[in-house]
């Protein structure tokens, strides 16, 4: 027994003093991996998942992997139109270094939801991962694709911000009775054909899109994403400026009154819901100010400056 005990003690003592040598990780030499390592992992600590991985997609979804040829162009798109407009200033650079998601996932195709109608354009997971869909359709000459991807990025990034810092103070109290949960799918009367779906009913409720009516969090992210991916004139015309609530004179392209055969001004009738939609615009204006003040006071980010840079870069694409 003494011999056995001495042998066991010696064996344990030998193991305790052993030196662990970690397995050496060999970095990929694939040009795509090198690109994402240099442009995302090194500066932002962001891993870009461009190779197919079943664990990154809900197994109830049917999707297509991204094509190799679009991965680097998609990375350039994200840098030019999402990251760089924020990093023009020192506070903006710090903001992106502190908040840019640790993981981006590329999906090649659309991702349909269980209702069979709506499509998931992208999503954020617990503030650490943003997934892009329809990457294989990459085309900067297709404005609908480009705005969809950019608004997806800004929307999901908005989720990361409010998950870490909460919504702006008072945001939830502006129009709590107007949220529709999943009934947002039933809102009718789209005023634009492209994504996101925007109806007069949604604007009447004080939201910038149909999806924004689903919850306070989605409302916040929709205001943010649509505001910085629209020109000031476009956003104001749709969401801020009141329309006529009484009969008004028709004008031509130069703003001059249009006259009938007798020389009298041609009068137009207002929309039946003009008063209600103007009330909704007032609600949107209140929430927009909260969002802009939130970014300025908490992060020193001027969303007007970010918006102007994004729209400038978009306008230069086909020059």
């Amino acid at each position: 027994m003494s011999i056995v005990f001495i042998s066991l003690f010696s064996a344990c003592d030998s193991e305790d003093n052993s030196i662990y040598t970690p397995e050496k990780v060999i970095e990929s030499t694939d040009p795509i991996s090198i690109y994402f390592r240099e442009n995302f992992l090194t500066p932002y600590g962001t891993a870009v998942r461009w190779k197919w991985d079943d664990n990154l997609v809900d197994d109830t979804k049917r999707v297509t992997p991204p094509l190799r040829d679009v991965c680097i162009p998609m990375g350039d798109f994200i840098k030019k139109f999402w990251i760089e407009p924020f990093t023009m200033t020192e506070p903006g650079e710090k903001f992106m270094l502190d908040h840019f998601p640790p993981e981006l996932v590329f999906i090649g195709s659309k991702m349909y939801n269980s209702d069979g109608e709506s499509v998931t354009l992208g999503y954020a997971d617990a503030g650490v991962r943003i997934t892009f869909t329809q990457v294989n359709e990459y085309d900067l000459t297709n404005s609908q694709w480009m705005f969809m991807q950019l608004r997806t990025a800004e929307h999901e990034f908005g989720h990361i911000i409010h998950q870490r810092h909460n919504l702006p103070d008072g945001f939830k109290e502006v129009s709590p009775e107007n949220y529709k949960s999943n009934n947002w799918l039933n809102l009718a009367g789209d005023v634009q054909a492209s994504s996101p779906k925007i109806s007069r009913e949604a604007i009447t409720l004080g939201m910038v899109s149909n999806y924004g009516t689903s919850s306070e969090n989605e409302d916040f992210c929709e205001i943010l994403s649509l505001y910085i991916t629209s020109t000031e004139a476009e956003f104001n015309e749709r969401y801020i400026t009141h329309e006529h609530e009484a009969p008004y004179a028709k004008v031509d392209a130069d703003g001059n009154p249009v006259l009938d055969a007798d020389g009298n001004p041609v009068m137009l009738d207002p929309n039946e819901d003009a008063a209600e939609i103007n009330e909704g615009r007032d609600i949107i204006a209140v929430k927009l100010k909260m969002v802009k003040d939130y970014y300025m006071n908490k992060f020193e980010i001027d969303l007007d400056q970010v918006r102007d840079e994004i729209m400038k870069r978009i306008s230069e694409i086909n020059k």
Side-chain angles (χ1 to χ4, degrees):
M1 289 180 65
S2 298
I3 295 172
V4 172
F5 177 77
I6 292 172
S7 298
L8 290 173
F9 179 80
S10 299
C12 292
D13 185 62
S14 174
E15 290 178 6
D16 287 344
N17 287 285
S18 63
I19 298 174
Y20 171 69
T21 303
E23 183 179 350
K24 185 176 181 180
V25 177
I26 301 176
E27 293 185 333
S28 173
T29 57
D30 188 301
I32 299 176
S33 294
I34 293 173
Y35 167 86
F36 285 121
R37 187 163 61 242
E38 293 178 347
N39 290 276
F40 289 86
L41 186 60
T42 298
Y44 298 105
T46 300
V48 179
R49 309 301 186 189
W50 62 274
K51 293 182 179 179
W52 182 249
D53 185 343
D54 285 334
N55 296 321
L56 298 177
V57 180
D58 187 333
D59 58 12
T60 65
K61 311 288 186 182
R62 291 190 178 276
V63 294
T64 300
L67 299 171
R68 286 184 59 90
D69 291 347
V70 301
C71 288
I72 290 179
M74 187 67 185
D76 288 338
F77 172 81
I78 290 171
K79 285 176 54 184
K80 182 175 181 178
F81 295 99
W82 177 12
I83 296 176
E84 292 176 3
F86 278 95
T87 58
M88 295 183 300
T89 64
E90 186 174 338
E93 177 67 32
K94 183 179 186 304
F95 173 75
M96 296 303 274
L97 288 171
D98 290 346
H99 297 91
F100 202 70
E103 195 171 28
L104 299 180
V105 179
F106 289 175
I107 301 297
S109 63
K110 292 181 179 180
M111 182 182 293
Y112 283 95
N113 298 319
S114 57
D115 56 43
E117 300 177 16
S118 62
V119 175
T120 297
L121 301 180
Y123 54 91
D125 294 328
V128 298
R129 175 192 296 162
I130 288 181
T131 298
F132 289 89
T133 64
Q134 295 175 249
V135 172
N136 288 347
E137 298 175 30
Y138 175 89
D139 181 1
L140 294 188
T141 66
N142 182 340
S143 61
Q144 184 172 343
W145 178 89
M146 186 173 61
F147 277 110
M148 178 199 73
Q149 294 293 355
L150 189 54
R151 286 169 177 166
T152 294
E154 303 295 1
H155 177 105
E156 300 306 333
F157 196 32
H159 279 305
I160 288 176
I161 300 306
H162 77 70
Q163 286 165 9
R164 294 190 190 179
H165 301 281
N166 297 319
L167 293 172
D169 291 341
F171 190 91
K172 293 182 179 180
E173 286 71 46
V174 177
S175 55
E177 69 283 357
N178 290 348
Y179 295 109
K180 301 293 184 182
S181 188
N182 288 336
N183 287 332
W184 70 270
L185 286 165
N186 299 321
L187 296 184
D190 289 344
V191 295
Q192 71 169 17
S194 62
S195 179
K197 293 183 177 179
I198 303 168
S199 68
R200 288 181 67 86
E201 186 176 356
I203 298 173
T204 297
L205 293 169
M207 322 294 174
V208 296
S209 72
N210 292 8
Y211 188 48
T213 68
S214 61
S215 71
E216 295 93 339
N217 292 341
E218 303 303 344
D219 187 14
F220 170 82
C221 293
E222 285 291 270
I223 290 175
L224 173 66
S225 64
L226 281 167
Y227 183 70
I228 61 177
T229 59
S230 303
T231 66
E232 182 178 15
E234 289 170 341
F235 193 91
N236 286 347
E237 180 181 4
R238 175 167 290 170
Y239 299 116
I240 303 298
T241 304
H242 281 207
E243 60 188 64
H244 296 278
E245 297 181 19
Y248 59 100
K250 182 179 180 179
V251 297
D252 59 21
D254 297 322
N256 301 313
V258 176
L259 306 179
D260 61 19
D262 298 324
N264 299 314
V266 174
M267 301 301 292
L268 301 176
D269 293 325
N271 289 299
E272 293 182 0
D273 62 347
E276 291 80 5
I277 202 169
N278 286 340
E279 291 178 2
R281 290 184 170 112
D282 289 340
I283 294 174
I284 291 172
V286 169
K287 289 189 287 192
L288 174 61
K289 185 177 186 305
M290 286 183 171
V291 173
K292 292 172 68 175
D293 289 347
Y294 174 82
Y295 272 79
M296 177 57 70
N297 297 334
K298 189 174 287 292
F299 310 112
E300 296 183 68
I301 299 293
D302 183 344
L303 289 181
D304 287 350
Q305 184 182 44
V306 174
R307 174 203 62 201
D308 291 346
E309 183 63 23
I310 291 173
M311 300 312 296
K312 172 177 171 289
R313 292 178 180 224
I314 290 174
S315 69
E316 294 174 345
I317 288 177
N318 296 318
K319 286 186 178 180

